[in-house]
């Protein structure tokens, strides 16, 4: 069993007006359709223009109520040069529209992706309405705060021992990456990753973050301040927990553990 959030078509939830809706960015749609993003933008620009300027001879009253933003919402993203670039946020109806415009294998595969992912997200949102999920999520926030407070102590101690503040502060992200990697959690585009996780994965997160907190506390007690040692130890103990839970062991984030992981994987296979 592998815990994982599907990432074939990354869907985000954003507030548009007075409601939060599910959207996918045009760059991801372009990849799914095996099309250059600039070409997809050109196509969408054309579709929006036609929606906003229907032929005069068309008399259907429904066209008067047509709103292109029900399909395509203009937006921007920041490229590698930190410059703003155009994109569209595409709704489920927009994906259905594009699937109909792309026939053949590519259109079929894209239809499968968006139907699967939008349905999965809608099911997840329905689960989040349950009190049980809300309670688990709230407990997880408490565990996360405790881990963050403990990491802060490690950062302060490491800096006092001569570690650069920049290097020390990187451990916040490194520890998160190690735990997410262990559980197969992929970061969501709208930075609300944990809101998309199911109750079982949230429960595992609490266990793993509590382990990470205790690992750091044990290290501080023996006056360890080498952050790389903490990273290796947390990853090592994460794989031990995975073994106990009968879950798959991923590729290590630190090279020191590669041989140990091979041994654990061989043990699981026998």
């Amino acid at each position: 069993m592998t815990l994982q959030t599907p990432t074939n078509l990354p869907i985000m939830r954003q507030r548009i007006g007075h409601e939060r809706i599910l959207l996918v960015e045009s760059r991801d749609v372009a990849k799914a359709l095996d099309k250059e993003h600039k070409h997809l933008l050109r196509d969408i620009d054309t579709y929006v223009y036609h929606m906003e300027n229907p032929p005069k001879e068309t008399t259907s009253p429904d066209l008067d109520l047509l709103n292109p933003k029900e399909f395509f919402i203009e937006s921007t993203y920041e490229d590698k040069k930190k410059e703003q670039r155009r994109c569209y946020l595409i709704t489920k109806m927009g994906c259905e529209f594009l699937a109909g415009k792309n026939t053949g294998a590519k259109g079929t595969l894209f239809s499968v992706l968006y139907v699967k992912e939008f349905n999965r997200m809608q099911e997840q949102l329905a689960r989040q309405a349950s009190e049980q999920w809300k309670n688990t999520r709230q407990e997880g926030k408490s565990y996360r705060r405790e881990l963050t407070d403990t990491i802060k102590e490690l950062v302060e101690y490491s800096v006092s021992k001569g570690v650069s503040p920049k290097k020390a502060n990187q451990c916040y992200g490194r520890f998160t990456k190690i735990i997410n990697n262990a559980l197969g959690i992929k970061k969501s585009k709208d930075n609300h990753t944990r809101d998309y996780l199911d109750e079982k994965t949230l429960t595992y997160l609490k266990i793993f973050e509590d382990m990470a907190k205790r690992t750091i506390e044990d290290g501080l007690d023996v006056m360890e301040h080498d952050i790389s040692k903490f990273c290796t130890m947390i990853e090592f103990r994460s794989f031990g927990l995975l073994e106990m839970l009968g879950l798959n062991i991923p590729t290590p984030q630190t090279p020191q553990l590669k041989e140990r992981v091979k041994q654990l994987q061989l043990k699981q296979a026998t």
Side-chain angles (χ1 to χ4, degrees), residues 96-111:
E96 291 170 353
F97 183 94
L98 292 175
K101 290 289 184 179
N102 291 269
T103 57
K106 292 179 183 178
T108 299
L109 292 175
F110 176 66
S111 296

Side-chain angles (χ1 to χ4, degrees), residues 12 56-57 65 70 77 84 93 117 121 144 162 170 175 184 200 213 219 255:
M12 64 189 93
K56 293 181 180 180
E57 61 271 18
L65 302 175
E70 293 180 341
Y77 69 93
Q84 294 297 309
M93 286 202 303
E117 281 301 281
M121 288 290 292
R144 179 64 184 179
Q170 287 176 346
F175 292 152
K200 180 181 287 187
K213 179 178 77 74

Side-chain angles (χ1 to χ4, degrees), residues 19 22 54 63 248 266-267:
E19 60 180 335
L22 300 179
L63 291 177
N248 292 336
L266 286 173
K267 184 176 179 181

Side-chain angles (χ1 to χ4, degrees), residues 191-203:
N191 295 318
H192 293 286
T193 302
R194 298 186 181 213
D195 287 341
Y196 299 139
L197 301 179
D198 58 35
E199 191 175 339
K200 180 181 287 187
T201 308
L202 288 174
T203 299

Side-chain angles (χ1 to χ4, degrees), residues 116-246:
K116 175 184 174 182
E117 281 301 281
F118 271 98
N119 286 344
R120 184 189 69 81
M121 288 290 292
Q122 287 170 338
E123 290 172 2
Q124 176 62 24
L125 292 176
R127 285 196 295 270
Q128 288 179 10
S130 72
E131 287 301 317
Q132 190 169 351
W133 186 93
K134 291 178 182 177
N135 291 337
T136 303
R137 179 74 178 95
Q138 191 60 40
E139 289 174 4
K141 290 180 180 180
S142 175
Y143 276 77
R144 179 64 184 179
R145 280 194 298 270
E146 290 179 9
L147 172 59
T148 300
D149 289 343
T150 305
I151 293 174
K152 183 179 178 182
E153 292 181 28
L154 171 60
V155 169
E156 292 173 348
Y157 180 73
S158 298
V159 171
S160 73
K161 293 299 181 179
V163 178
S164 72
K166 181 178 179 181
K167 181 178 179 182
N169 279 294
Q170 287 176 346
C171 65
Y172 286 97
R174 290 176 69 183
F175 292 152
T176 297
K177 188 174 182 180
I178 287 170
I179 294 172
N180 285 354
N181 181 63
L183 295 175
I185 298 171
K186 308 298 181 183
K187 186 177 179 181
S188 66
K189 279 211 159 191
D190 58 2
N191 295 318
H192 293 286
T193 302
R194 298 186 181 213
D195 287 341
Y196 299 139
L197 301 179
D198 58 35
E199 191 175 339
K200 180 181 287 187
T201 308
L202 288 174
T203 299
Y204 282 136
L205 261 177
K206 291 191 299 182
I207 296 171
F208 278 66
E209 290 187 336
D210 184 60
M211 173 275 298
K213 179 178 77 74
R214 293 173 184 274
T215 299
I216 295 171
E217 290 172 342
D218 291 345
L220 288 174
D221 285 342
V222 296
M223 305 303 284
E224 288 279 1
H225 66 275
D226 187 337
I227 294 173
S228 63
K229 289 183 180 179
F230 280 101
C231 291
T232 301
M233 182 57 67
I234 288 173
E235 189 168 24
F236 176 79
R237 293 186 178 181
S238 293
F239 292 160
L241 283 175
L242 290 171
E243 182 188 19
M244 289 176 57
L245 295 168

